[in-house]
Amino acid sequence: MIIENQEQVTEAVLSELQRAKDPRFREIVSAAVRHLHDFAREVKLTEDEFRQACAFIASLGKKTNETHNEVVLLAGSLGFSTLVCLLNNGNNGQTETTANLLGPFWRMDSPVTKNGDSIVRSSTPGPALFVNAWVRDAGGKPIADAEVDVWQSSPEGFYENQDPIQADMNLRGKFRTDENGGIRFRSVKPAGYPIPVDGPVGDLIRLQGRHNMRPAHLHFLIYKPGYKTHISQVYVNDDKNLDTDVQFGVTRALVGNYIRHESGNPPATDVSGPWYSLDFTFTIEPGVSKLPRAPITAKAEGERVKLEILERR
Ligand SMILES: [Fe+2]
């Protein structure tokens, strides 16, 4: 159609979208167009601001490569990843869930690791942590033979893929639940870490006066045919940034009870000094067992990058 005024632009685009054969595609893109056009009207977007927004989106792509995903970082920083997670888990947003966002650091093909073994694969500072985790269904039935990927940052704040100093796949492992639905492993207590702010997401966070820290956490991905793939993070209860997570990931159900032991019998003889334990139970739901697309596929080389920490103002 030949457009006569600003209202008609929306009409023209929505009308062309009716040609799309896939009904779900039509629904999603039509709603996106309606909201996008209404957004521009609501804020009376100027031409300068529009060009700035286009440059911002282009810079997200330019900043993304095989070891870093700026788009996923943006989705988290806007709370969008958590919203999509909570809409799709816990009986489609009706009940509490132990599901959480994937984040930008999951890699395929974590090393298969036996229950009870360590995921520390190169010298890594930090207090020892012993984890017992269980996988159950909503009725409390243990789920045996589920694959459980585990990954975390080092206590210095780097995932191994960001850090040429750590061994490949350090602090990552793939476990299988036993007949009680349990896995257990040794690691080091994770520390909170700053998300990278040398790209467009950093500019966005600075403009808001926010800090760029994530509270310490362990990541989990639980895969079992017949069940919806369960992606989770279990946050450390003594972290000072629990209620200001830059990625808005912390939910009440996922604050883990990491217990500090000053003495007692640690589960390994080489532990000296205080150590930590965590017991945690995940509740998974029937559904499609599909693995997500891995946000990154390789490990960084060269120098370790400097992580910048922003103050909350
Ligand atoms: Fe993380």
Side-chain angles (χ1 to χ4, degrees):
M1 69 188 258
I2 305 228
I3 293 156
E4 291 172 17
N5 55 47
Q6 58 93 0
E7 281 94 5
Q8 283 185 357
V9 187
T10 311
E11 207 181 301
V13 182
L14 292 176
S15 152
E16 281 301 291
L17 265 161
Q18 292 307 310
R19 304 171 63 81
K21 291 202 171 54
D22 181 333
R24 182 62 175 157
F25 171 86
R26 209 165 53 228
E27 181 186 6
I28 291 174
V29 181
S30 299
V33 166
R34 274 199 321 271
H35 286 282
L36 192 63
H37 286 213
D38 284 348
F39 152 76
R41 289 184 182 105
E42 181 185 325
V43 300
K44 298 199 168 43
L45 199 69
T46 68
E47 287 160 302
D48 267 358
E49 288 160 347
F50 168 64
R51 289 181 197 116
Q52 215 178 325
C54 291
F56 180 84
I57 291 169
S59 66
L60 294 171
K62 284 188 190 151
K63 191 74 191 160
T64 297
N65 57 39
E66 59 184 9
T67 64
H68 175 82
N69 196 317
E70 190 80 359
V71 181
V72 174
L73 210 55
L74 177 71
S77 304
L78 295 175
F80 201 66
S81 310
T82 293
L83 173 63
V84 172
C85 171
L86 293 178
L87 281 173
N88 284 280
N89 291 281
N91 197 12
N92 289 324
Q94 303 303 304
T95 56
E96 193 174 57
T97 176
T98 53
N100 203 227
L101 45 122
L102 176 68
F105 295 120
W106 179 62
R107 285 178 72 181
M108 293 281 279
D109 304 320
S110 279
V112 172
T113 311
K114 279 210 319 279
N115 272 324
D117 281 1
S118 176
I119 58 169
V120 180
R121 303 180 196 282
S122 59
S123 172
T124 310
L129 169 68
F130 297 88
V131 178
N132 279 290
W134 292 273
V135 180
R136 307 246 190 267
D137 70 9
K141 184 174 94 89
I143 309 294
D145 263 334
E147 266 183 20
V148 183
D149 272 24
V150 176
W151 68 106
Q152 68 172 93
S153 75
S154 75
E156 294 169 301
F158 295 97
Y159 286 81
E160 55 81 28
N161 58 281
Q162 300 173 291
D163 185 6
I165 294 168
Q166 293 179 54
D168 193 35
M169 297 288 181
N170 188 39
L171 305 181
R172 295 178 188 268
K174 189 188 286 297
F175 296 86
R176 189 169 282 277
T177 55
D178 61 19
E179 66 279 10
N180 300 315
I183 63 160
R184 55 196 182 281
F185 60 92
R186 176 176 176 172
S187 187
V188 288
K189 188 187 181 215
Y193 59 84
I195 63 163
V197 286
D198 58 346
V201 172
D203 297 340
L204 195 75
I205 289 167
R206 274 187 202 89
L207 280 168
Q208 295 172 74
R210 294 169 64 198
H211 71 62
N212 58 328
M213 295 299 290
R214 295 226 63 214
H217 54 270
L218 295 174
H219 289 269
F220 295 85
L221 184 150
I222 302 166
Y223 177 85
K224 165 90 182 177
Y227 292 87
K228 186 173 190 299
T229 300
H230 197 76
I231 295 164
S232 189
Q233 303 186 31
V234 181
Y235 296 90
V236 177
N237 43 332
D238 66 5
D239 195 292
K240 67 179 196 307
N241 294 317
L242 276 182
D243 59 357
T244 53
D245 178 7
V246 65
Q247 296 281 285
F248 300 102
V250 183
T251 62
R252 190 66 66 199
L254 290 173
V255 179
N257 187 24
Y258 291 70
I259 299 173
R260 182 182 166 102
H261 304 266
E262 298 296 338
S263 56
N265 285 333
T269 51
D270 62 328
V271 175
S272 57
W275 51 282
Y276 287 80
S277 63
L278 170 71
D279 288 3
F280 196 84
T281 300
F282 299 96
T283 306
I284 67 173
E285 303 177 54
V288 180
S289 46
K290 193 174 157 201
L291 286 177
R293 174 198 290 255
I296 50 161
T297 53
K299 180 171 168 62
E301 290 175 353
E303 295 283 295
R304 181 187 257 185
V305 292
K306 284 238 174 333
L307 292 177
E308 187 184 348
I309 296 180
L310 307 178
E311 290 296 317
R312 193 162 194 261
R313 290 179 278 104

PDB file of all heavy atoms in Angstrom, residues 133-148:
ATOM      1  N   ALA A 133      23.832 -33.033  44.953  1.00  0.00           N
ATOM      2  CA  ALA A 133      22.627 -32.481  44.324  1.00  0.00           C
ATOM      3  C   ALA A 133      21.726 -33.636  43.904  1.00  0.00           C
ATOM      4  O   ALA A 133      22.226 -34.709  43.514  1.00  0.00           O
ATOM      5  CB  ALA A 133      22.999 -31.633  43.117  1.00  0.00           C
ATOM      6  N   TRP A 134      20.427 -33.411  44.004  1.00  0.00           N
ATOM      7  CA  TRP A 134      19.455 -34.437  43.638  1.00  0.00           C
ATOM      8  C   TRP A 134      18.502 -33.901  42.587  1.00  0.00           C
ATOM      9  O   TRP A 134      18.175 -32.702  42.570  1.00  0.00           O
ATOM     10  CB  TRP A 134      18.651 -34.880  44.864  1.00  0.00           C
ATOM     11  CG  TRP A 134      19.485 -35.625  45.845  1.00  0.00           C
ATOM     12  CD1 TRP A 134      19.745 -36.965  45.868  1.00  0.00           C
ATOM     13  CD2 TRP A 134      20.209 -35.059  46.964  1.00  0.00           C
ATOM     14  NE1 TRP A 134      20.577 -37.275  46.911  1.00  0.00           N
ATOM     15  CE2 TRP A 134      20.872 -36.135  47.603  1.00  0.00           C
ATOM     16  CE3 TRP A 134      20.355 -33.773  47.463  1.00  0.00           C
ATOM     17  CZ2 TRP A 134      21.675 -35.938  48.721  1.00  0.00           C
ATOM     18  CZ3 TRP A 134      21.163 -33.578  48.579  1.00  0.00           C
ATOM     19  CH2 TRP A 134      21.811 -34.648  49.195  1.00  0.00           C
ATOM     20  N   VAL A 135      18.053 -34.798  41.725  1.00  0.00           N
ATOM     21  CA  VAL A 135      17.078 -34.446  40.700  1.00  0.00           C
ATOM     22  C   VAL A 135      15.811 -35.238  40.988  1.00  0.00           C
ATOM     23  O   VAL A 135      15.842 -36.466  41.115  1.00  0.00           O
ATOM     24  CB  VAL A 135      17.613 -34.769  39.291  1.00  0.00           C
ATOM     25  CG1 VAL A 135      16.592 -34.387  38.235  1.00  0.00           C
ATOM     26  CG2 VAL A 135      18.945 -34.069  39.042  1.00  0.00           C
ATOM     27  N   ARG A 136      14.684 -34.529  41.125  1.00  0.00           N
ATOM     28  CA  ARG A 136      13.402 -35.171  41.442  1.00  0.00           C
ATOM     29  C   ARG A 136      12.337 -34.638  40.487  1.00  0.00           C
ATOM     30  O   ARG A 136      12.510 -33.589  39.873  1.00  0.00           O
ATOM     31  CB  ARG A 136      12.966 -34.794  42.862  1.00  0.00           C
ATOM     32  CG  ARG A 136      14.012 -35.052  43.930  1.00  0.00           C
ATOM     33  CD  ARG A 136      13.530 -36.143  44.877  1.00  0.00           C
ATOM     34  NE  ARG A 136      14.351 -36.298  46.046  1.00  0.00           N
ATOM     35  CZ  ARG A 136      15.370 -37.154  46.145  1.00  0.00           C
ATOM     36  NH1 ARG A 136      15.696 -37.926  45.124  1.00  0.00           N
ATOM     37  NH2 ARG A 136      16.063 -37.257  47.269  1.00  0.00           N
ATOM     38  N   ASP A 137      11.206 -35.344  40.394  1.00  0.00           N
ATOM     39  CA  ASP A 137      10.067 -34.775  39.677  1.00  0.00           C
ATOM     40  C   ASP A 137       9.171 -34.059  40.686  1.00  0.00           C
ATOM     41  O   ASP A 137       9.480 -34.038  41.894  1.00  0.00           O
ATOM     42  CB  ASP A 137       9.325 -35.838  38.854  1.00  0.00           C
ATOM     43  CG  ASP A 137       8.577 -36.847  39.725  1.00  0.00           C
ATOM     44  OD1 ASP A 137       8.485 -36.650  40.955  1.00  0.00           O
ATOM     45  OD2 ASP A 137       8.082 -37.841  39.151  1.00  0.00           O
ATOM     46  N   ALA A 138       8.075 -33.480  40.211  1.00  0.00           N
ATOM     47  CA  ALA A 138       7.234 -32.655  41.099  1.00  0.00           C
ATOM     48  C   ALA A 138       6.654 -33.468  42.258  1.00  0.00           C
ATOM     49  O   ALA A 138       6.352 -32.930  43.321  1.00  0.00           O
ATOM     50  CB  ALA A 138       6.111 -32.006  40.292  1.00  0.00           C
ATOM     51  N   GLY A 139       6.521 -34.793  42.054  1.00  0.00           N
ATOM     52  CA  GLY A 139       6.004 -35.648  43.127  1.00  0.00           C
ATOM     53  C   GLY A 139       7.093 -36.131  44.074  1.00  0.00           C
ATOM     54  O   GLY A 139       6.819 -36.933  44.967  1.00  0.00           O
ATOM     55  N   GLY A 140       8.340 -35.708  43.846  1.00  0.00           N
ATOM     56  CA  GLY A 140       9.441 -36.092  44.732  1.00  0.00           C
ATOM     57  C   GLY A 140      10.140 -37.372  44.315  1.00  0.00           C
ATOM     58  O   GLY A 140      11.043 -37.844  44.997  1.00  0.00           O
ATOM     59  N   LYS A 141       9.737 -37.947  43.168  1.00  0.00           N
ATOM     60  CA  LYS A 141      10.363 -39.205  42.717  1.00  0.00           C
ATOM     61  C   LYS A 141      11.773 -38.922  42.179  1.00  0.00           C
ATOM     62  O   LYS A 141      11.958 -38.009  41.366  1.00  0.00           O
ATOM     63  CB  LYS A 141       9.487 -39.832  41.625  1.00  0.00           C
ATOM     64  CG  LYS A 141       9.985 -41.200  41.159  1.00  0.00           C
ATOM     65  CD  LYS A 141       9.004 -41.836  40.200  1.00  0.00           C
ATOM     66  CE  LYS A 141       9.284 -41.584  38.812  1.00  0.00           C
ATOM     67  NZ  LYS A 141       9.770 -41.756  37.708  1.00  0.00           N
ATOM     68  N   PRO A 142      12.780 -39.704  42.632  1.00  0.00           N
ATOM     69  CA  PRO A 142      14.141 -39.484  42.136  1.00  0.00           C
ATOM     70  C   PRO A 142      14.239 -39.794  40.642  1.00  0.00           C
ATOM     71  O   PRO A 142      13.634 -40.761  40.177  1.00  0.00           O
ATOM     72  CB  PRO A 142      14.983 -40.496  42.925  1.00  0.00           C
ATOM     73  CG  PRO A 142      14.114 -41.038  43.992  1.00  0.00           C
ATOM     74  CD  PRO A 142      12.698 -40.810  43.598  1.00  0.00           C
ATOM     75  N   ILE A 143      14.992 -38.974  39.918  1.00  0.00           N
ATOM     76  CA  ILE A 143      15.188 -39.203  38.483  1.00  0.00           C
ATOM     77  C   ILE A 143      16.606 -39.746  38.295  1.00  0.00           C
ATOM     78  O   ILE A 143      17.591 -39.007  38.382  1.00  0.00           O
ATOM     79  CB  ILE A 143      15.025 -37.888  37.676  1.00  0.00           C
ATOM     80  CG1 ILE A 143      13.710 -37.179  38.030  1.00  0.00           C
ATOM     81  CG2 ILE A 143      15.142 -38.163  36.192  1.00  0.00           C
ATOM     82  CD1 ILE A 143      12.456 -37.904  37.634  1.00  0.00           C
ATOM     83  N   ALA A 144      16.693 -41.049  38.029  1.00  0.00           N
ATOM     84  CA  ALA A 144      17.994 -41.680  37.801  1.00  0.00           C
ATOM     85  C   ALA A 144      18.410 -41.500  36.354  1.00  0.00           C
ATOM     86  O   ALA A 144      17.580 -41.216  35.483  1.00  0.00           O
ATOM     87  CB  ALA A 144      17.899 -43.169  38.141  1.00  0.00           C
ATOM     88  N   ASP A 145      19.722 -41.627  36.100  1.00  0.00           N
ATOM     89  CA  ASP A 145      20.252 -41.626  34.728  1.00  0.00           C
ATOM     90  C   ASP A 145      20.054 -40.316  33.981  1.00  0.00           C
ATOM     91  O   ASP A 145      19.943 -40.327  32.754  1.00  0.00           O
ATOM     92  CB  ASP A 145      19.598 -42.747  33.908  1.00  0.00           C
ATOM     93  CG  ASP A 145      20.490 -43.964  33.882  1.00  0.00           C
ATOM     94  OD1 ASP A 145      21.711 -43.783  34.035  1.00  0.00           O
ATOM     95  OD2 ASP A 145      19.959 -45.083  33.737  1.00  0.00           O
ATOM     96  N   ALA A 146      19.963 -39.224  34.703  1.00  0.00           N
ATOM     97  CA  ALA A 146      19.922 -37.918  34.034  1.00  0.00           C
ATOM     98  C   ALA A 146      21.360 -37.426  33.881  1.00  0.00           C
ATOM     99  O   ALA A 146      22.192 -37.663  34.761  1.00  0.00           O
ATOM    100  CB  ALA A 146      19.125 -36.912  34.859  1.00  0.00           C
ATOM    101  N   GLU A 147      21.643 -36.760  32.771  1.00  0.00           N
ATOM    102  CA  GLU A 147      22.963 -36.135  32.590  1.00  0.00           C
ATOM    103  C   GLU A 147      22.934 -34.755  33.229  1.00  0.00           C
ATOM    104  O   GLU A 147      21.997 -33.987  32.982  1.00  0.00           O
ATOM    105  CB  GLU A 147      23.231 -35.928  31.099  1.00  0.00           C
ATOM    106  CG  GLU A 147      23.998 -37.045  30.467  1.00  0.00           C
ATOM    107  CD  GLU A 147      24.288 -36.727  29.006  1.00  0.00           C
ATOM    108  OE1 GLU A 147      24.237 -35.544  28.575  1.00  0.00           O
ATOM    109  OE2 GLU A 147      24.542 -37.687  28.281  1.00  0.00           O
ATOM    110  N   VAL A 148      23.929 -34.458  34.031  1.00  0.00           N
ATOM    111  CA  VAL A 148      23.963 -33.154  34.698  1.00  0.00           C
ATOM    112  C   VAL A 148      25.281 -32.457  34.380  1.00  0.00           C
ATOM    113  O   VAL A 148      26.348 -32.899  34.814  1.00  0.00           O
ATOM    114  CB  VAL A 148      23.800 -33.296  36.226  1.00  0.00           C
ATOM    115  CG1 VAL A 148      23.762 -31.928  36.883  1.00  0.00           C
ATOM    116  CG2 VAL A 148      22.543 -34.087  36.577  1.00  0.00           C
TER     117      VAL A 148
END
